[in-house]
Amino acid sequence: MLRVLAVDDEEPALEELLYLLRADPRIRRAEGATSATEALRGIGAALDAGPDDAAAVDVVFLDIHMAGLSGLDVARLLAGFAEPPLIVFVTAHEGFAVQAFDLKAVDYVLKPVRRERLAEAVRRVAELVGERAPIAAPAADQIAVELGGVIRFVAVDDIAYAEAQGDYARLHTGTGSHLVRIPLTTLEERWRARGFVRIHRRHLVALARIDEMRLDAGAMSVRVGDAELAVSRRHARALRDLLMRQTGR
C-alpha cells in the first residue's frame, strides 16, 4: 500500500485531492503540504530515515504553480536524491506536460481532478512501486485491518457481513467490527467467489452466515447472528433463489 504526500498551496484543492486519495484502498497514508519548502523538508527527513520509517513517502502528487518554488523546481531537486519518491503532477495547466515527463513524472493529471483519472494515476504508481520493492500483502483469505495503530489480519471466513459507511466499509465478525478504507463495491467484486452477496446498497452478507430469511408485509429481511438486515427489493428475488439452491429446495 502506498504512502503519499500531496502538495498544493491552495488549501481547498489540497483537501479535495487528499479526500480522493484517502478513499483509494491502495493508499495506506496520504498527508498534505501547502508549500514546496514544507514538502521538501518532509521528504528530506523521510529519505534520511529510510524506506521503512513511518514517515516514508512513495509518491508525491505535486501541483505545478505554487508561490515560491514551483512543482517543476521541486521535481528537479528531488531528482538529485539517490532514491527519490515518484512524482505525479496535478495541475490546471496543460502546457507543462513535456517538461513534466522530461523529469520522469509517472503521470500528469489535470484539474479539476476526476476520481477515475486519479485512480489510473495511482494504479501506475502502484505498479512501479511494486517493481521497486514488492510489498507484502495479506493472503487472499485474509484482509488487513488497523486496530489501535497495529495492522492485523482478519480471516474473510470470520466475516459475517460488511456494512457501507461512505467510502469505507465496516466488517462485522463474531467478536466485533473493523473499519477499513475500502468501498463496499470493491469488496463485493473481491469476495463474490467466496460466497458474499449484496442484499442492500448498505450490506454485503456471507451467504453461509444467514440464519433466517423473513417476509413481513412484502418486506424481506435476513438474520445474521444477532443482526437483522433489510433486503432491498432489487436484491430480494436473487437472494431467495440463492438460499433455495443452497438448501436444495
Side-chain angles (χ1 to χ4, degrees):
M1 297 177 71
L2 301 173
R3 298 157 299 183
V4 175
L5 178 65
V7 188
D8 197 314
D9 62 351
E10 296 182 0
E11 289 197 22
L14 178 61
E15 290 301 317
E16 175 66 15
L17 180 57
L18 286 171
Y19 173 81
L20 294 174
L21 288 168
R22 288 167 179 164
D24 193 306
R26 294 164 294 190
I27 292 175
R28 180 196 307 177
R29 187 188 73 248
E31 304 295 339
T34 55
S35 72
T37 302
E38 180 187 354
L40 287 168
R41 188 183 301 119
I43 294 167
L47 290 172
D48 289 341
D52 296 324
D53 188 77
V57 177
D58 298 309
V59 57
V60 182
F61 283 77
L62 189 58
D63 188 22
I64 288 181
H65 276 295
M66 295 187 290
L69 293 175
S70 72
L72 295 172
D73 293 329
V74 172
R76 291 187 186 100
L77 290 169
L78 291 179
F81 289 95
E83 294 184 16
L86 300 173
I87 298 290
V88 173
F89 285 105
V90 182
T91 178
H93 305 277
E94 298 182 11
F96 297 96
V98 173
Q99 294 177 64
F101 289 114
D102 283 345
L103 290 167
K104 311 299 182 186
V106 176
D107 209 340
Y108 192 91
V109 179
L110 290 174
K111 297 178 181 179
V113 178
R114 294 182 295 109
R115 185 186 298 268
E116 297 80 6
R117 181 65 184 86
L118 189 64
E120 172 61 18
V122 172
R123 183 192 66 77
R124 294 179 182 179
V125 170
E127 288 182 353
L128 290 173
V129 170
E131 291 172 5
R132 282 180 165 187
I135 300 172
D141 58 354
Q142 294 180 317
I143 184 168
V145 301
E146 185 175 351
L147 186 62
V150 177
I151 300 296
R152 301 182 185 276
F153 297 112
V154 173
V156 175
D157 288 343
D158 289 341
I159 298 167
Y161 68 97
E163 179 182 7
Q165 294 191 353
D167 289 324
Y168 292 71
R170 183 167 293 280
L171 311 178
H172 294 266
T173 69
T175 57
S177 67
H178 308 278
L179 192 66
V180 295
R181 193 187 296 167
I182 305 176
L184 200 65
T185 51
T186 300
L187 293 179
E188 180 183 9
E189 295 173 4
R190 187 180 298 176
W191 292 349
R192 184 176 291 116
R194 301 186 67 87
F196 281 78
V197 295
R198 192 72 170 259
I199 65 167
H200 191 275
R201 63 182 177 83
R202 290 195 58 199
H203 291 118
L204 180 69
V205 175
L207 198 63
R209 295 300 191 101
I210 296 177
D211 299 311
E212 292 180 356
M213 179 177 67
R214 301 176 180 178
L215 288 171
D216 184 12
M220 180 184 290
S221 64
V222 293
R223 184 171 62 82
V224 181
D226 295 330
E228 184 170 349
L229 308 175
V231 180
S232 67
R233 291 183 180 276
R234 64 176 292 200
H235 294 101
R237 181 168 183 173
L239 177 63
R240 185 171 58 245
D241 291 346
L242 283 170
L243 289 172
M244 293 302 101
R245 287 201 298 271
Q246 186 183 52
T247 57
R249 296 179 183 177

